[in-house]
Amino acid sequence: MTVKITPEQIAEQRRFMTLFQALPDRPRTYYIVTYGCQMNAHDSEKLAGMLDEMGMELSPAREEADFVLHNTCCIRDNAERKALGNVTWLKELKKERPGLMIGVCGCMVRESGMAEKLLRQYPFVDVAFGTSNIYRLPELLYKAAESRSRVVAVEQEQSTLIEGLPIRRESPYQAYVTIMYGCNNYCTYCIVPYVRGRERSRSAGDILRDIERLAQSGVQEIMLLGQNVNSYGKDLEGGLSFAQLLHEAGQTGIPRIRFMTSHPKDLTDELIDEIAQNPAVLRHFHLPAQSGSDRILKAMNRHYTVDQYLDRVARLRQAVPDIGITTDLIVGFPGETEEDFEATLRLADTVRYDSAFTFIYSPRVGTAAAKYPDQVPAEVSARRIDRLIKLQEKHTAIALNGMIGSEVSVLVTDRSKRDETMLTGKCGRNISVNFAGTPEDIGKVLNVKITSAGKTTLRGEKMEVSA
Ligand code: SAH
Ligand code: SF4
Ligand code: F3S
């Protein structure tokens, strides 16, 4: 059963915030290192929001902070190694500054055996907690600081629904809005259902209230977050579907809406029609295919065939002709033959994605596929991913060049890193667009005419203010 954090539990954490501030030699500054996906990025905004309310200040550099928190990811082995490597690196700093407090949270903490490993092999870690426990940060940090001993909290219950936390938003123009937590799909390669728990949808009322407030505060673009947003609401009795939620979100006055991630098996005609009719929904669809081989898709437990996937793509393009489609693809899944891999190349060739995240399969302890026979040798996977990336680069070039001459609307987010006189932002299709402009344009939605294409970015000229 899903348990919503109660106002009493939040009030209890507020008491710990006050107690913490009264500690004589408590940490004063913090730094958060974030790994992984948007879920983690948004969790870090919540963690920062709580630390702010505990009277701490964001440190400009990790080396100078009194408390360094690592919000970890364990989706692939390299993500995990990177996080653990950085935690270990701080051990040396702690020798010089014994007052330094080190925290580890996020998906990795919930991996089987990891809490014990942290306790045994990482004695310099002061506080560790899992993904459903982030709201307890004030309590855990207070206890660790007060007792000068280690505090580890790995969740007992799996299905916490977190509401009412302060959020320190990274941007005044763009905001993440979680619509659901967890995942029920158990793709056989994936650790997420184990470390994020079962699917829990937030109530539409809570979500829409958040979006209205964001719209009123001048936010131009929101990203609705969930591991499988297309199955939003299935766990709520009489709740809205994802298509209905998008419709309602479009009525809040928020100018631009994105969402991540969609599972092809749950992509309904209702949702496609809603996207087609809703002017706030941007023309980008991230639709992870994972593989182009029916045999491999079955072994991955994805619940669709290549034909069904292609049918969804065709329906999407028919209803929304200017939509840009992107994907995730895995090579080297156990048992993947050359023929299976060629099928993935064929799928990419048929769909012609704007871009694709390509991954080498990484076995995760506790998942079904980690126990499959026929693990693919690393050098075979490396060759395959090279071929796939080369093909995708060709398709990205075709997509970007095809946009030359068109007019796109861009939410201007930054100055270009390379050239001070240039601004940058993303167009509806989620492609970076660079153009000449002044800093006053940052935060605005502008019309830009595309004049040329680089490898992964577009260049253009400002037209006129459109919003
Ligand atoms: N919920 C999202 C994505 C979550 S993880 C979805 O289902 O689309 C992001 C991507 O990481 C996945 O789409 C998959 O392509 C990749 N991935 C997940 N587990 C992996 C593993 N064990 N090895 C390699 N790639 C993996
Ligand atoms: Fe992982 Fe599959 Fe869930 Fe995505 S849908 S988070 S790939 S189990
Ligand atoms: Fe990583 Fe957790 Fe996201 S494992 S990809 S941070 S849900």
Side-chain angles (χ1 to χ4, degrees):
M1 210 191 80
T2 302
V3 194
K4 194 160 156 175
I5 304 289
T6 62
E8 291 72 34
Q9 280 169 301
I10 297 287
E12 190 190 3
Q13 293 304 317
R14 292 210 175 276
R15 274 197 298 282
F16 282 112
M17 289 179 181
T18 315
L19 285 172
F20 178 81
Q21 296 196 47
L23 288 176
D25 51 357
R26 65 174 175 90
R28 305 268 157 189
T29 58
Y30 71 88
Y31 191 89
I32 304 179
V33 193
T34 308
Y35 306 89
C37 64
Q38 287 93 348
M39 300 281 164
N40 260 18
H42 189 38
D43 280 351
S44 285
E45 293 184 326
K46 294 177 187 164
L47 293 161
M50 285 185 278
L51 292 168
D52 286 343
E53 296 208 359
M54 290 168 82
M56 291 174 82
E57 265 179 46
L58 179 64
S59 166
R62 181 171 46 158
E63 295 76 8
E64 292 163 21
D66 298 336
F67 175 49
V68 182
L69 183 55
H70 303 80
N71 191 7
T72 60
C73 170
C74 55
I75 195 83
R76 285 168 292 275
D77 185 49
N78 53 3
E80 190 174 311
R81 275 208 312 264
K82 207 158 92 191
L84 284 174
N86 277 327
V87 174
T88 309
W89 178 76
L90 278 184
K91 181 176 155 187
E92 297 307 312
L93 205 62
K94 199 165 173 153
K95 282 185 191 147
E96 293 162 32
R97 282 204 287 130
L100 169 68
M101 290 188 74
I102 300 175
V104 182
C105 65
C107 293
M108 198 182 78
V109 175
R110 273 183 82 171
E111 253 185 300
S112 101
M114 186 50 78
E116 298 76 23
K117 181 170 168 178
L118 282 172
L119 281 169
R120 240 188 1 253
Q121 293 175 26
Y122 295 79
F124 48 93
V125 170
D126 299 281
V127 48
F129 51 97
T131 51
S132 297
N133 274 333
I134 63 167
Y135 75 100
R136 290 178 60 201
L137 171 65
E139 169 193 348
L140 304 172
L141 188 58
Y142 166 76
K143 287 180 175 163
E146 193 257 349
S147 65
R148 293 274 152 206
S149 59
R150 335 180 48 205
V151 178
V152 175
V154 183
E155 24 280 282
Q156 306 294 313
E157 91 282 351
Q158 285 237 313
S159 44
T160 325
L161 192 60
I162 296 169
E163 293 290 341
L165 292 188
I167 299 176
R168 179 194 184 102
R169 294 203 179 267
E170 284 290 315
S171 156
Y173 333 110
Q174 286 170 300
Y176 293 126
V177 178
T178 306
I179 66 166
M180 60 199 299
Y181 299 92
C183 182
N184 284 351
N185 287 318
Y186 289 98
C187 302
T188 53
Y189 51 81
C190 185
I191 192 102
V192 171
Y194 303 92
V195 295
R196 287 264 169 191
R198 297 292 69 68
E199 243 168 60
R200 295 92 77 193
S201 300
R202 294 180 64 203
S203 84
D206 287 339
I207 296 168
L208 294 167
R209 198 167 328 118
D210 282 357
I211 300 175
E212 271 161 21
R213 282 196 197 131
L214 291 167
Q216 282 158 13
S217 73
V219 167
Q220 298 292 319
E221 185 178 302
I222 55 165
M223 162 94 74
L224 304 176
L225 289 182
Q227 291 299 347
N228 177 11
V229 291
N230 295 0
S231 74
Y232 169 80
K234 286 187 179 165
D235 58 324
L236 300 176
E237 239 168 83
L240 302 184
S241 67
F242 181 55
Q244 290 167 327
L245 182 72
L246 266 188
H247 185 78
E248 296 300 319
Q251 311 291 309
T252 59
I254 200 88
R256 289 157 70 99
I257 303 174
R258 297 187 190 275
F259 52 87
M260 279 270 247
T261 301
S262 296
H263 195 302
K265 79 175 164 62
D266 298 311
L267 175 48
T268 58
D269 287 349
E270 184 202 12
L271 176 57
I272 294 173
D273 293 340
E274 179 55 36
I275 295 167
Q277 287 155 21
N278 190 330
V281 176
L282 296 177
R283 274 28 194 159
H284 170 223
F285 209 102
H286 187 63
L287 194 61
Q290 313 300 358
S291 168
S293 151
D294 283 342
R295 213 175 59 79
I296 296 295
L297 286 172
K298 192 154 198 290
M300 287 177 162
N301 194 32
R302 290 290 288 180
H303 293 284
Y304 53 83
T305 61
V306 175
D307 279 350
Q308 285 165 339
Y309 181 90
L310 289 173
D311 168 72
R312 295 293 78 194
V313 169
R315 179 75 171 71
L316 202 53
R317 285 200 165 133
Q318 178 197 16
V320 196
D322 56 341
I323 201 152
I325 302 178
T326 59
T327 200
D328 294 348
L329 294 166
I330 297 177
V331 304
F333 184 82
E336 185 188 71
T337 61
E338 208 54 31
E339 215 170 289
D340 294 319
F341 170 65
E342 300 272 345
T344 299
L345 293 176
R346 260 198 316 277
L347 173 70
D349 235 346
T350 310
V351 180
R352 306 232 164 174
Y353 297 106
D354 275 7
S355 64
F357 292 109
T358 51
F359 306 107
I360 291 180
Y361 166 73
S362 168
R364 308 280 63 212
V365 174
T367 61
K371 297 183 226 67
Y372 286 0
D374 308 326
Q375 300 282 326
V376 176
E379 60 279 9
V380 174
S381 296
R383 263 202 313 276
R384 287 182 187 166
I385 202 162
D386 278 350
R387 282 180 71 192
L388 186 57
I389 290 170
K390 286 218 176 67
L391 180 68
Q392 184 51 51
E393 281 171 353
K394 213 170 80 190
H395 294 161
T396 299
I398 293 170
L400 266 57
N401 281 300
M403 289 176 76
I404 295 173
S406 68
E407 226 178 273
V408 296
S409 91
V410 175
L411 169 58
V412 189
T413 47
D414 271 307
R415 283 200 216 190
S416 159
K417 283 184 201 80
R418 287 200 216 128
D419 181 349
E420 284 277 293
T421 63
M422 297 292 281
L423 298 176
T424 183
K426 292 220 168 144
C427 67
R429 274 168 76 164
N430 206 33
I431 302 165
S432 290
V433 180
N434 299 314
F435 61 98
T438 51
E440 299 84 71
D441 288 336
I442 294 175
K444 290 185 191 155
V445 176
L446 298 178
N447 280 353
V448 176
K449 183 157 184 162
I450 303 303
T451 52
S452 65
K455 213 169 157 220
T456 55
T457 60
L458 295 165
R459 216 173 225 268
E461 283 161 10
K462 182 163 104 175
M463 307 289 287
E464 90 253 24
V465 180
S466 66

